[in-house]
Coordinates of all heavy atoms in Angstrom, one line a residue:
Y60 N -82.6 -6.7 -8.7 CA -81.3 -7.1 -9.1 C -80.2 -6.0 -8.8 O -79.1 -6.3 -8.3 CB -81.2 -7.5 -10.6 CG -82.0 -8.7 -10.9 CD1 -83.0 -8.7 -12.0 CD2 -81.8 -9.9 -10.2 CE1 -83.7 -9.8 -12.3 CE2 -82.6 -11.0 -10.5 CZ -83.5 -11.0 -11.6 OH -84.2 -12.1 -11.9
T61 N -80.6 -4.8 -9.1 CA -79.7 -3.7 -8.8 C -79.4 -3.5 -7.4 O -78.2 -3.3 -7.0 CB -80.3 -2.3 -9.4 OG1 -80.6 -2.5 -10.7 CG2 -79.3 -1.2 -9.3
V62 N -80.4 -3.6 -6.5 CA -80.2 -3.5 -5.1 C -79.2 -4.6 -4.6 O -78.3 -4.3 -3.8 CB -81.5 -3.7 -4.3 CG1 -81.3 -3.9 -2.8 CG2 -82.4 -2.5 -4.5
L63 N -79.4 -5.8 -5.1 CA -78.5 -6.9 -4.7 C -77.1 -6.7 -5.2 O -76.1 -6.8 -4.4 CB -79.1 -8.3 -5.2 CG -78.3 -9.5 -4.8 CD1 -78.3 -9.7 -3.3 CD2 -78.9 -10.7 -5.4
L64 N -76.9 -6.3 -6.4 CA -75.6 -6.2 -7.0 C -74.8 -5.0 -6.4 O -73.6 -5.1 -6.1 CB -75.7 -6.0 -8.5 CG -76.2 -7.2 -9.3 CD1 -76.4 -6.8 -10.8 CD2 -75.2 -8.3 -9.2
A65 N -75.6 -3.9 -6.1 CA -74.9 -2.7 -5.5 C -74.5 -3.0 -4.1 O -73.5 -2.3 -3.6 CB -75.9 -1.5 -5.6
N66 N -75.2 -3.8 -3.4 CA -74.9 -4.0 -2.0 C -73.8 -5.1 -1.7 O -73.3 -5.1 -0.6 CB -76.2 -4.4 -1.3 CG -77.0 -3.3 -0.8 OD1 -76.6 -2.6 0.1 ND2 -78.1 -3.1 -1.5
I67 N -73.5 -5.9 -2.7 CA -72.5 -6.9 -2.5 C -71.1 -6.3 -2.0 O -70.6 -6.8 -1.0 CB -72.3 -7.8 -3.8 CG1 -73.5 -8.6 -4.0 CG2 -71.0 -8.6 -3.7 CD1 -73.4 -9.5 -5.3
P68 N -70.5 -5.3 -2.7 CA -69.3 -4.8 -2.2 C -69.5 -4.1 -0.8 O -68.6 -4.1 0.0 CB -68.9 -3.7 -3.2 CG -70.1 -3.5 -4.0 CD -70.9 -4.7 -4.0
L69 N -70.6 -3.5 -0.6 CA -70.9 -2.8 0.7 C -70.9 -3.8 1.8 O -70.4 -3.6 2.9 CB -72.2 -2.0 0.7 CG -72.2 -0.9 -0.4 CD1 -73.6 -0.2 -0.4 CD2 -71.1 0.2 -0.1
L70 N -71.6 -5.0 1.6 CA -71.7 -6.0 2.6 C -70.3 -6.7 2.9 O -70.0 -7.0 4.0 CB -72.6 -7.1 2.1 CG -74.1 -6.7 2.1 CD1 -75.0 -7.7 1.4 CD2 -74.6 -6.4 3.5
V71 N -69.5 -6.8 1.8 CA -68.1 -7.2 2.1 C -67.3 -6.3 3.0 O -66.6 -6.7 3.9 CB -67.3 -7.4 0.7 CG1 -65.9 -7.8 0.9 CG2 -68.0 -8.5 -0.1
L72 N -67.4 -5.0 2.7 CA -66.8 -4.0 3.5 C -67.3 -4.0 5.0 O -66.6 -3.9 5.9 CB -66.9 -2.6 2.9 CG -66.1 -2.3 1.8 CD1 -66.5 -0.9 1.2 CD2 -64.6 -2.2 2.2
S73 N -68.6 -4.2 5.1 CA -69.3 -4.2 6.4 C -68.7 -5.4 7.1 O -68.4 -5.3 8.4 CB -70.8 -4.3 6.2 OG -71.4 -4.5 7.5
Y74 N -68.6 -6.6 6.5 CA -68.1 -7.8 7.2 C -66.6 -7.5 7.7 O -66.3 -8.0 8.8 CB -68.1 -9.0 6.3 CG -67.7 -10.3 6.9 CD1 -68.6 -11.0 7.8 CD2 -66.5 -10.8 6.8 CE1 -68.3 -12.1 8.4 CE2 -66.1 -11.9 7.4 CZ -66.9 -12.6 8.2 OH -66.6 -13.8 8.8
K75 N -65.9 -6.8 6.9 CA -64.5 -6.6 7.3 C -64.3 -5.5 8.4 O -63.4 -5.6 9.2 CB -63.6 -6.3 6.1 CG -63.4 -7.4 5.1 CD -62.6 -7.0 3.8 CE -62.4 -8.1 2.9 NZ -61.6 -7.7 1.7
K76 N -65.2 -4.5 8.3 CA -64.9 -3.3 9.1 C -65.9 -3.1 10.3 O -65.6 -2.5 11.3 CB -65.0 -2.1 8.2 CG -64.0 -2.1 7.0 CD -62.6 -1.9 7.5 CE -61.7 -1.7 6.3 NZ -60.3 -1.5 6.7
L77 N -67.1 -3.7 10.1 CA -68.2 -3.5 11.2 C -68.5 -4.7 12.0 O -67.9 -5.8 11.7 CB -69.4 -2.9 10.4 CG -69.2 -1.6 9.6 CD1 -70.5 -1.2 9.0 CD2 -68.8 -0.5 10.6
N78 N -69.5 -4.6 12.8 CA -70.0 -5.6 13.6 C -70.5 -6.8 12.8 O -71.3 -6.6 11.8 CB -71.1 -5.1 14.5 CG -71.7 -6.1 15.5 OD1 -72.5 -6.9 15.1 ND2 -71.3 -6.0 16.7
K79 N -70.1 -8.0 13.1 CA -70.5 -9.2 12.3 C -72.0 -9.4 12.4 O -72.6 -9.8 11.4 CB -69.7 -10.4 12.8 CG -68.3 -10.3 12.7 CD -67.8 -10.1 11.2 CE -66.3 -10.1 11.1 NZ -65.6 -9.0 11.7
R80 N -72.6 -9.2 13.5 CA -74.0 -9.4 13.6 C -74.8 -8.4 12.8 O -75.8 -8.8 12.0 CB -74.5 -9.2 15.1 CG -76.0 -9.5 15.3 CD -76.4 -9.4 16.7 NE -76.4 -8.1 17.3 CZ -76.9 -7.8 18.5 NH1 -77.4 -8.8 19.2 NH2 -76.7 -6.6 18.9
F81 N -74.4 -7.2 12.7 CA -75.0 -6.2 11.9 C -74.9 -6.6 10.4 O -75.8 -6.5 9.6 CB -74.3 -4.8 12.1 CG -74.8 -3.8 11.1 CD1 -76.0 -3.1 11.2 CD2 -74.0 -3.4 10.0 CE1 -76.4 -2.2 10.3 CE2 -74.4 -2.5 9.1 CZ -75.6 -1.8 9.2
T82 N -73.7 -7.1 10.0 CA -73.5 -7.6 8.7 C -74.4 -8.7 8.3 O -75.0 -8.7 7.2 CB -72.0 -7.9 8.5 OG1 -71.2 -6.9 8.8 CG2 -71.8 -8.3 7.0
I83 N -74.5 -9.7 9.2 CA -75.5 -10.8 8.9 C -76.9 -10.4 8.7 O -77.5 -10.8 7.8 CB -75.3 -11.9 10.1 CG1 -73.9 -12.5 10.1 CG2 -76.4 -12.9 9.9 CD1 -73.7 -13.4 11.2

Side-chain angles (χ1 to χ4, degrees):
Y60 293 129
T61 305
V62 168
L63 183 60
L64 293 173
N66 274 289
I67 289 175
L69 296 177
L70 291 169
V71 171
L72 280 175
S73 176
Y74 184 80
K75 292 180 178 180
K76 303 290 186 180
L77 300 178
N78 182 281
K79 299 299 185 292
R80 182 175 69 170
F81 171 79
T82 303
I83 291 173

